[in-house]
Amino acid sequence: MKKVWIYLENGIFLEAKSFGSEGTKVGEIVFNTSMSGYQEIISDPSYAGQFITFTMPEIGNVGVNKEDMESYGAFAKGIIVRNYQRRYSNFRAEDSLENFLKKFDVMGICDIDTRFLTKVLREDGSQMMIASTEISDQEELKKILENSPRIEEINYIKEVSAKKSYIHKSATYDARVFRYKEPPEAKAKIVAIDFGVKRNILNNLTEAGLEVEVIPQDFCVEELIERFEKGEIDGVFLSNGPGDPLILKDIHEKIKKLIEKKIPMFGICLGHQLLSISHGYPTFKLKFGHHGGNHPVRNEKTKRVEITAQNHNYNVPENIKDIAEVTHINLFDNTIEGLKYKNSPIFSVQHHPEASPGPHESAYIFKEFADLVIKHKDSK
């Protein structure tokens, strides 16, 4: 393994070992507390532009396989792990994590104190960093980092979104027989706007009884409204995705037009944030974000606590309560996790109810969306 040198914007300079792709990369460093599912995390498009620090110390031990991909690639700048296991052992494994990272140009960093890094991020917050297998001089790395664009200045959804529309046909994965379930008969049709959508979100929408057409992020809103008014589609889903939602100004304007037409809509993560902004309530950045598979969220209607998967750095403001009912609350920091807009067939959640692998307590949310869309369709 080659040496790799790391410089954080708070001045910390570290040396570690490299696996995966080589070179010099700049991105935002965050930490993820999930105990399993590293391939799903790395292939989640919402991590575009970021270095993922895994708090789970052993990574690579189960290899990788095609079935566990959450998208068609991997868009993170790199991953940071305590121990990388080159010798993988799992009956589903098809290749090593190292080869996977090289294939998608993702840097791998190991033999580093990830507990220390996590504490730094918890105290100082998520921040920009640079990692290089070519440059060892601290001052040179600092200069490159200072002259590089920040993650909140880059529109990553153009990179991760589908380039053309398609129909998604698979349902959720059945681990008992190691294959995807046959989707049920569709009772309504929706369009999923792809800002970096995870495959298992689409699987859950299909399994809920919806025909799902995925469209790119540069969609024509007038065409979408026309299709809704003609009865060709019955609702719209706004997907998860990477980066700062405030810079997506053209998307805000399009969503405003969908809101005005009272089209049934459901958003997850970035979609949740975009709905808030489009209603006139800008998001704010959390200190170190929520990234992991163990976040307790309280359903405000049932008062049940659901363990959820999370991946976001931004959150909706408290004053959105003026126009929306808060449906879910994060019990770690009391931030808003779910909203139902007043006098509109629109709701959203900040967490990931599809969670694969991970907790399934929030999977009912997909059925709630399907019920909403079907009810609205039948009332027309």
Side-chain angles (χ1 to χ4, degrees), residues 45-46 48 71-72 75 155-166 192-197 214-219 239-242 251:
S46 295
S71 66
Y72 61 88
F75 305 96
N155 183 346
Y156 278 108
I157 68 168
K158 292 181 178 179
E159 176 184 343
V160 303
S161 177
K163 305 309 177 193
K164 59 182 181 180
S165 301
Y166 63 94
I193 303 174
D194 181 8
F195 303 124
V197 69
V214 183
I215 64 172
Q217 55 85 27
D218 58 349
F219 65 99
S239 85
N240 61 294
I251 302 295

Side-chain angles (χ1 to χ4, degrees), residues 157-191:
I157 68 168
K158 292 181 178 179
E159 176 184 343
V160 303
S161 177
K163 305 309 177 193
K164 59 182 181 180
S165 301
Y166 63 94
I167 302 296
H168 182 84
K169 295 183 178 180
S170 64
T172 57
Y173 190 73
D174 190 339
R176 296 168 299 179
V177 293
F178 307 110
R179 65 169 180 263
Y180 287 94
K181 300 175 185 176
E182 287 294 323
E185 182 182 352
K187 298 179 180 178
K189 180 174 181 176
I190 66 159
V191 161

